[in-house]
Amino acid sequence: MSKTLLDIKNLHAEIEEEGKAILKGLNLTVKAGEVHAIMGPNGAGKSTLASVVSGKDGYEVTDGTVEMDGADILELDPDERAKEGLFLAFQYPVEIPGVSNINFLRTALNEIKEYRQEEPISAKDFMAMVREKSALVDLDAKLASRSVNEGFSGGEKKRNEIFQMAMLEPKVAILDETDSGLDIDALRIVAAGVNKLKNENNAVILITHYQRLLDYIVPDFVHVLADGQIVKTGDKSLALELEEKGYDWLN
Amino acid sequence: MAGYTEDELKEELKSQEYEFGFTTDIESEKIPVGLNEEVIRIISAKKEEPEWLLEYRLNAFKVWQEMTEPEWAHVQYEKPKFQEISYFAAPKKQYESWDDVDPEMKATMDKLGISMDEQKKLTGVAVDFVMDSVSVATSFKDKLAELDIIFCSFSEAVKDHPELVKKYLGTVVPTSDNFYAALNSAVFSDGSFCYIPKGVKCPMELSTYFRINESGTGQFERTLLVADAGSYVSYLEGCTAPQRDENQLHAAVVELVALDDAEIKYSTVQNWFPGDKEGKGGVYNFVTKRGICHTNSKISWTQVETGSAVTWKYPSCILKGDNSIGEFYSVAVTNNYQQADTGTKMIHLGKNTKSTVISKGISAGKSQNSYRGLIQIHPKADNARNFTQCDSLLMTDECGAHTFPYIECQNNSAKLEHEATTSKIGEDQIFYCQQRGLSEEKAISLIVNGYCKEVLNKLPMEFAVEAQKLLAISLENSVG
Ligand SMILES: Nc1ncnc2c1ncn2[C@@H]1O[C@H](COP(=O)(O)OP(=O)(O)OP(=O)(O)O)[C@@H](O)[C@H]1O
Ligand SMILES: [Mg+2]
């Protein structure tokens, strides 16, 4: 039995400002070594799930629990969750002008290391790591030294997310529509990168609208998220079925 | 300005005079506070100044009396009562022992990574300096002497190089320039003097820090820096350590002279006590800084302003010589109830003169942050160019950012560009950083430093690193 890395039970969450419920009793258990795909109609609450799990402001958890590696994380700040090994590849990566990607990642990496009481990484080792990991997703070396996401194309931003994931080596990675905006070649490259990063000690959650991604990164489970709940779970064939029939038949 | 009143100031000064044994000094006993001709004569006499300098001061006093305090700046404060201030250079408040030093101040210095020895030095606690710092200062001076560079306190310069002081004092900032400049000219306590001889490139950054313990700079500081033809100097003023001062009013004057083909780089980090979270106390910083550029010369001002309750400051360049260049790079941070009205004036007189203005304002808390800039192109300034960019970053909904750009152009060949932006620090940016493992504070610091990068890049390396830390500390708990 491999161990449970992420355990979401009966999660209810609403938008703080409006009190509008988005997640309505969601359950999801992710074990080490697994790949889960979450699909579902626009506005179903997929990104909200990613936000709530990673601790973004503006959402209130009204019921339920989220455990990572056996420990409750709902009380932790977003950065503490990240330091515990949670990574979110954003659906819309954010630009940070004036801050180089490299400086950003080195700061992040050393913060995480400090939290884990490890020595900070030397400049030399860091640069070697940057070279290795950027090759993994075929990220142009120039992009690594440019300001974080500033002026990156849509596809470059997505690639950069996976590059960051490679650098930070998370236990649980949630990839929110990383495939959208990627051209066919880029999709293959990024998927291959994710596959290389995947091992028996970590887990990947793919939020996607397209079963095509799942041809490259084969999921162990496919879930359908609709109206704030997981309404159906199956294996890879479920994705094919959804592609064919849409979501209506589930109701 | 409730809380710290002029009365309290007076009391404090009185008790200090006692503490430091001033009561034995008959002259100072007679006139403890207030400003009149007699006081100016005493200041001048105590410093054993030559007659011409006394005349200079007395004339300034006359001019000052005719003037009124300016009110056009976007700041509100209770006007200092000039007759209730002591114009004697009271020694800086010294701490008896390290235990007496304000713990908050110690914590800040720790965060800045200032060594224990330096901390003691900066807070004025008597300390035997380790050999290292003494020898550094000594070898530093030897090196300057070899090149005939003069770098000393203003008072020393008056004694040892009166001809230079007399030649240049007041030539860039005339006594009548403004209310505070006039006041400073009448009562200035001390400051720095620097002269770089013809063709000499000063091999190291000149820093007032090296002199901090030799003379207390006081509240009416006077700086005069002359770069002779073809010379180069980079000068650093201030330091990132928090500076508390019992003097509420600071009115400094800085004059820079860049002769033909010379270059002056003047960097400032200002971190005077900004007042507490409720806006009580804090320094009023009313500074006049100006440089004159002769043919082919260049003056570059870089400033990082985080301190003071009220700041009023416009480092400027008079581009008199043809092909001369003026630059102004500024980061001004205001938090809590701080108010800053800062910017620059670029006066284009010569042909082919060029100026660049980059201003980054960051407002947090309930503070007010204004950029005020004047670009003036005179009729004979053919082909003048200016590029101005002023950006404002808001950390809360309660603070204010304002820009007041003035352009006066009297020559059609001028090319002027102006860009301005205002943005609020993005919650999504902060969250993005946090998701990668950065604490909220680290995230803000990173984002703000990125925002100020163009300016911080202009600072000498070690200064830039310190300034980055300072920005982070100034903005702690500032997002709302
Ligand atoms: N901060 C917010 N303020 C207001 N409404 C929000 C906020 N965040 C999410 N919502 C709403 O919650 C619902 C779920 O949004 P969410 O982004 O989670 O959907 P999604 O499943 O990721 O959709 P998509 O497939 O289009 O990305 C939507 O109706 C959205 O408008
Ligand atoms: Mg989404």
Side-chain angles (χ1 to χ4, degrees), chain B residues 85-349:
Chain B
I85 293 173
S86 168
Y87 291 88
F88 290 111
K92 269 195 175 168
K93 191 167 185 171
Q94 301 267 338
Y95 295 87
E96 284 289 303
S97 80
W98 182 238
D99 294 336
D100 297 341
V101 178
D102 186 356
E104 213 176 291
M105 192 158 161
K106 285 185 193 170
T108 309
M109 290 195 291
D110 280 341
K111 282 185 207 161
L112 284 166
I114 296 172
S115 76
M116 196 58 142
D117 273 331
E118 278 174 315
Q119 290 193 16
K120 289 184 174 171
K121 195 165 157 186
L122 290 165
T123 48
V125 172
V127 62
D128 292 326
F129 296 123
V130 287
M131 273 318 287
D132 253 14
S133 57
V134 173
S135 55
V136 166
T138 316
S139 67
F140 172 83
K141 284 197 166 147
D142 290 348
K143 191 131 196 191
L144 292 181
E146 263 170 41
L147 294 164
D148 292 326
I149 292 171
I150 303 168
F151 180 43
C152 60
S153 75
F154 199 89
S155 312
E156 278 176 72
V158 170
K159 286 202 176 75
D160 301 342
H161 310 281
E163 69 302 335
L164 282 173
V165 176
K166 192 172 178 183
K167 184 168 177 193
Y168 292 107
L169 178 68
T171 57
V172 190
V173 179
T175 294
S176 58
D177 188 78
N178 69 71
F179 184 82
Y180 303 112
L183 178 64
N184 176 287
S185 301
V187 303
F188 64 83
S189 27
D190 209 337
S192 303
F193 177 81
C194 175
Y195 173 80
I196 314 291
K198 281 198 179 84
V200 171
K201 310 265 177 246
C202 184
M204 62 192 88
E205 318 277 350
L206 289 189
S207 164
T208 48
Y209 177 81
F210 281 96
R211 297 194 20 257
I212 220 156
N213 252 40
E214 291 177 30
S215 68
T217 43
Q219 66 185 131
F220 300 104
E221 197 174 344
R222 188 87 193 194
T223 302
L224 177 56
L225 202 163
V226 180
D228 212 328
S231 68
Y232 167 84
V233 62
S234 167
Y235 186 93
L236 313 181
E237 174 201 72
C239 61
T240 48
Q243 299 188 62
R244 264 172 208 268
D245 198 299
E246 67 277 16
N247 298 311
Q248 192 173 28
L249 173 66
H250 279 245
V253 171
V254 176
E255 296 181 279
L256 309 185
V257 179
L259 295 172
D260 293 355
D261 304 299
E263 180 175 349
I264 301 175
K265 210 170 136 54
Y266 193 103
S267 313
T268 306
V269 170
Q270 186 265 119
N271 190 17
W272 291 105
F273 183 50
D276 65 14
K277 289 194 173 59
E278 276 74 49
K280 287 181 191 158
V283 166
Y284 295 170
N285 194 22
F286 302 137
V287 187
T288 307
K289 288 184 163 175
R290 194 174 304 152
I292 187 158
C293 287
H294 291 266
T295 307
N296 297 324
S297 72
K298 177 175 172 182
I299 289 180
S300 181
W301 297 99
T302 306
Q303 61 174 20
V304 175
E305 303 274 321
T306 61
S308 299
V310 182
T311 300
W312 180 100
K313 180 178 180 185
Y314 316 91
S316 304
C317 296
I318 303 170
L319 303 172
K320 181 170 174 242
D322 291 349
N323 314 315
S324 60
I325 299 174
E327 295 176 339
F328 174 75
Y329 301 100
S330 168
V331 172
V333 179
T334 52
N335 199 352
N336 299 318
Y337 287 88
Q338 281 177 276
Q339 307 176 64
D341 194 301
T342 184
T344 185
K345 286 191 251 180
M346 292 292 174
I347 314 293
H348 292 253
L349 300 174

Side-chain angles (χ1 to χ4, degrees), chain B residues 454-472:
Chain B
E454 285 164 279
V455 175
L456 296 176
N457 276 348
K458 298 289 172 185
L459 288 172
M461 191 56 188
E462 319 89 71
F463 227 35
V465 173
E466 282 186 41
Q468 285 188 11
K469 289 190 205 158
L470 180 62
L471 288 181

Side-chain angles (χ1 to χ4, degrees), chain A residues 15 18 20 22 40-48 59 91 177 209:
Chain A
I15 311 282
E18 319 165 12
K20 180 182 161 199
I22 307 291
N42 293 132
K46 302 180 297 295
S47 294
T48 302
Y59 299 92
Q91 183 172 0
E177 296 199 23
H209 286 295

Side-chain angles (χ1 to χ4, degrees), chain A:
Chain A
M1 260 303 274
S2 49
K3 73 174 173 179
T4 300
L5 286 183
L6 186 69
D7 204 5
I8 303 174
K9 290 209 182 85
N10 190 34
L11 185 63
H12 289 257
E14 55 187 44
I15 311 282
E16 222 163 45
E17 251 169 41
E18 319 165 12
K20 180 182 161 199
I22 307 291
L23 301 181
K24 304 165 182 171
L26 187 141
N27 294 290
L28 180 66
T29 302
V30 178
K31 294 201 170 109
E34 292 178 350
V35 174
H36 290 242
I38 298 179
M39 306 184 79
N42 293 132
K46 302 180 297 295
S47 294
T48 302
L49 173 65
S51 298
V52 170
V53 169
S54 53
K56 189 175 182 188
D57 261 357
Y59 299 92
E60 187 170 334
V61 173
T62 51
D63 203 359
T65 56
V66 177
E67 287 181 357
M68 211 168 82
D69 225 353
D72 178 13
I73 59 165
L74 285 178
E75 293 304 313
L76 299 183
D77 286 340
D79 56 298
E80 294 168 325
R81 300 183 197 197
K83 285 165 184 153
E84 289 290 342
L86 179 69
F87 181 91
L88 171 60
F90 285 66
Q91 183 172 0
Y92 305 107
V94 179
E95 302 188 357
I96 310 177
V99 178
S100 77
N101 235 338
I102 289 199
N103 181 23
F104 177 64
L105 275 173
R106 182 144 186 241
T107 311
L109 197 60
N110 281 335
E111 288 286 298
I112 293 172
K113 283 187 175 289
E114 190 184 322
Y115 181 83
R116 297 181 186 158
Q117 301 186 337
E118 293 168 18
E119 288 294 305
I121 189 165
S122 74
K124 188 166 162 271
D125 291 350
F126 178 76
M127 287 320 292
M129 192 172 171
V130 165
R131 267 192 300 277
E132 182 201 329
K133 305 292 186 182
S134 56
L136 205 65
V137 286
D138 205 11
L139 187 82
D140 190 330
K142 278 191 220 97
L143 293 183
S145 44
R146 263 176 40 193
S147 291
V148 179
N149 293 324
E150 195 186 28
F152 284 27
S153 76
E156 286 168 345
K157 282 182 182 169
K158 295 301 177 76
R159 240 184 244 228
N160 193 27
E161 293 292 286
I162 302 307
F163 165 61
Q164 294 186 26
M165 170 182 164
M167 292 292 293
L168 301 178
E169 300 176 330
K171 264 188 274 188
V172 178
I174 304 174
L175 276 46
D176 193 356
E177 296 199 23
T178 299
D179 54 336
S180 52
L182 288 180
D183 66 43
I184 297 163
D185 292 334
L187 179 68
R188 213 175 285 140
I189 291 164
V190 166
V194 172
N195 281 330
K196 267 186 223 142
L197 294 172
K198 206 185 76 185
N199 60 42
E200 66 276 17
N201 298 315
N202 62 21
V204 178
I205 299 169
L206 302 167
I207 296 174
T208 182
H209 286 295
Y210 306 106
Q211 91 85 27
R212 197 184 56 208
L213 173 70
L214 308 180
D215 286 341
Y216 298 110
I217 309 173
V218 183
D220 300 293
F221 300 95
V222 174
H223 310 276
V224 178
L225 200 167
D227 194 24
Q229 286 180 319
I230 302 285
V231 295
K232 193 167 176 65
T233 294
D235 60 12
K236 194 186 171 280
S237 63
L238 176 59
L240 288 166
E241 203 174 345
L242 291 169
E243 184 114 309
E244 206 172 298
K245 301 192 203 161
Y247 295 108
D248 280 349
W249 62 279
L250 287 166
N251 299 333

